[in-house]
Amino acid sequence: MTVDTLNATQVEVRALAEERNAVILAHNYQVPEVQDVAHYVGDSLGLAREAAATAADVIVFCGVHFMAETAKILSPEKTVLIPDLDAGCSLAASITGEQLRDWKAEHPGAIVVSYVNTTAEVKAESDYCCTSGNAKAVIEAIPPDQEILFLPDMFLGLWLERVTGRKLTIWLGECHVHAGIKPEHIERWQTEAPDAELLVHPECGCASQCMAFGNEQTHILSTEGMVRFAERSPKKRFLVATETGILHRLNKEVPGKRFEAVSEQAVCQYMKMITLDNLRTGLRELRYEVDVDAGTAARARTALERMVSIGS
Ligand code: 13P
Ligand code: SF4
C-alpha cells in the first residue's frame, strides 16, 4: 500500500518503524490492516529470506512465534520483535526437542527434515528445514537411499511421498486449522463451482484425497504459490483451501478474479493475535523481544540456511 492510502494508525506505525529503523514482515494469514502496513508480506520461505537479508536494525514479525525465532536465528545481530508473545502454533507444539531426540535414537543414521513450523529446539536437532514452498526440492536434495525422518506435519509428509516417490518416516503431527478442512468442504464446492481451480495448502487433511481424484483443477501450493498461480492462470474463479487470511492478498494482488474460501472456519487464532494496536505498541516500546540462546541458534542455523538456499 502506498503511504497516502494508509489510515492514521498505519501512518503512525510506519513513522515509528522509520524512527526505529525497523522492517515490518507479515505472513499471508495476518489481518488485512496489518498486511497493508507491512513492508513485506509473504509465506514462511519468503519471510525467512527477507529476515536473513534485511539491512534494518529491528525486525517486527507479524506472524507466529516460530517465524520470529527463525528470523532471530538467521539474523542474530538484529533485534527481533513479535507484537504478542502468545502467538503460537499448534503444529509447532506437536513435537518437542526431547521427543525428537528419542525418535532419532530409534532411527540411527536417519536424516531429519523439519518443517519450519517447529521450535528452535527442534530445529537444533534437525539436518534440514523446509517450508511448504520448497519441501519437495529439499527432499530431492537428499540422496535417494537415505532414510528421512520428516516432521511434524503428517499431511505434508504424505503429499511429499506422493510427489517425490520416496518413502518417508513421518511424525503424526497436524495443524488444527488445516486438519479441520475436510473432504466434504471440497466436495461441496466441486458440485457448486465445478469450473473453478482448487488451491490447496499441503497441510490440509484433504490434500491427499484431493490428489487421489486425479483432478487437473486441483493444485497443492504454499500460500505464496497460490498468489503466483492465480496471477498466471487464465481461469477467473478459485476455491482456496487454507487459512482465510490469504484471501486479502489474493484479492488485492490478483484483481478481477473471484476467490472463495472452501471453509470460512479455517481461521488461525494465533495469527489473528497480532493487531495494528499491538504492532504500534510493540514498535513504540520495542517489545516483545524474541531471543534464542546462542547454543541452540548455532545448532539450528545450518538446517535453516539449507532451507533458505534450496528451491526457487
Ligand atoms: P506457508 O509457508 O505456506 O505460508 O504456510 C505457513 C503456515 O503456517 C501454514 O499454516
Ligand atoms: Fe500453525 Fe496452523 Fe496457525 Fe499455520 S495455521 S500458524 S500451522 S496453527
Side-chain angles (χ1 to χ4, degrees):
M1 255 198 176
T2 56
V3 177
D4 47 322
T5 52
L6 298 177
N7 69 31
T9 312
Q10 288 170 323
V11 169
E12 205 183 330
V13 164
R14 277 292 180 92
L16 283 164
E18 204 173 318
E19 222 172 274
R20 305 292 194 200
N21 190 22
V23 65
I24 304 168
L25 305 183
H27 187 265
N28 288 323
Y29 298 158
Q30 290 293 292
V31 293
E33 57 269 30
V34 169
Q35 289 194 32
D36 291 344
V37 80
H39 296 107
Y40 177 86
V41 185
D43 68 355
S44 309
L45 187 59
L47 290 165
R49 286 180 173 153
E50 209 58 32
T54 185
D57 295 322
V58 177
I59 298 170
V60 190
F61 216 109
C62 300
V64 293
H65 195 264
F66 76 80
M67 296 180 174
E69 270 187 346
T70 299
K72 182 67 187 178
I73 296 165
L74 289 169
S75 274
E77 72 292 355
K78 314 273 179 195
T79 300
V80 177
L81 305 177
I82 189 164
D84 188 330
L85 274 174
D86 288 331
C89 168
S90 59
L91 182 54
S94 72
I95 185 166
T96 63
E98 194 181 337
Q99 285 173 312
L100 176 51
R101 282 188 287 278
D102 291 346
W103 201 33
K104 281 165 66 172
E106 290 164 18
H107 298 266
I111 292 268
V112 177
V113 179
S114 292
Y115 191 37
V116 70
N117 297 43
T118 42
T119 61
E121 196 195 350
V122 166
K123 290 185 176 80
E125 296 289 338
S126 306
D127 299 295
Y128 290 79
C129 286
C130 69
T131 74
S132 54
N134 69 351
K136 180 172 177 278
V138 169
I139 298 295
E140 285 168 348
I142 298 168
D145 53 346
Q146 176 66 56
E147 185 187 5
I148 296 175
L149 301 184
F150 183 83
L151 66 103
D153 191 83
M154 63 175 145
F155 297 113
L156 176 60
L158 290 168
W159 173 72
L160 285 169
E161 285 194 323
R162 288 187 69 116
V163 294
T164 63
R166 289 183 64 162
K167 179 86 194 87
L168 306 175
T169 306
I170 300 171
W171 187 259
L172 298 182
E174 64 177 28
C175 151
H176 70 294
V177 178
H178 287 87
I181 299 176
K182 304 286 185 199
E184 52 266 31
H185 292 121
I186 308 287
E187 279 154 18
R188 181 174 79 83
W189 279 100
Q190 279 178 331
T191 334
E192 288 180 23
D195 294 334
E197 297 273 47
L198 178 60
L199 312 182
V200 181
H201 196 278
E203 282 175 29
C204 283
C206 60
S208 33
Q209 289 93 328
C210 288
M211 290 189 67
F213 293 148
N215 182 348
E216 280 181 9
Q217 285 163 232
T218 300
H219 309 278
I220 313 284
L221 297 159
S222 74
T223 56
E224 195 66 29
M226 292 181 184
V227 180
R228 300 289 152 247
F229 182 89
E231 276 172 346
R232 288 193 314 266
S233 168
K235 289 282 184 80
K236 292 279 183 229
R237 192 171 181 187
F238 300 84
L239 308 177
V240 181
T242 191
E243 211 273 353
T244 58
I246 187 68
L247 292 174
H248 179 64
R249 236 196 110 196
L250 285 164
N251 284 318
K252 193 166 144 179
E253 290 187 27
V254 196
K257 298 192 181 185
R258 184 168 166 190
F259 300 99
E260 286 142 300
V262 295
S263 168
E264 293 291 348
Q265 277 79 55
V267 176
C268 175
Q269 67 270 42
Y270 302 115
M271 284 283 180
K272 291 346 186 207
M273 283 178 181
I274 312 301
T275 63
L276 204 50
D277 260 2
N278 59 26
L279 168 58
R280 176 175 55 186
T281 310
L283 271 163
R284 226 186 241 151
E285 300 179 12
L286 283 180
R287 74 175 198 196
Y288 296 94
E289 194 165 345
V290 173
D291 214 354
V292 178
D293 80 80
T296 307
R299 290 193 299 126
R301 196 165 294 120
T302 310
L304 276 173
E305 283 173 352
R306 285 174 172 160
M307 175 186 93
V308 292
S309 66
I310 296 176
S312 51

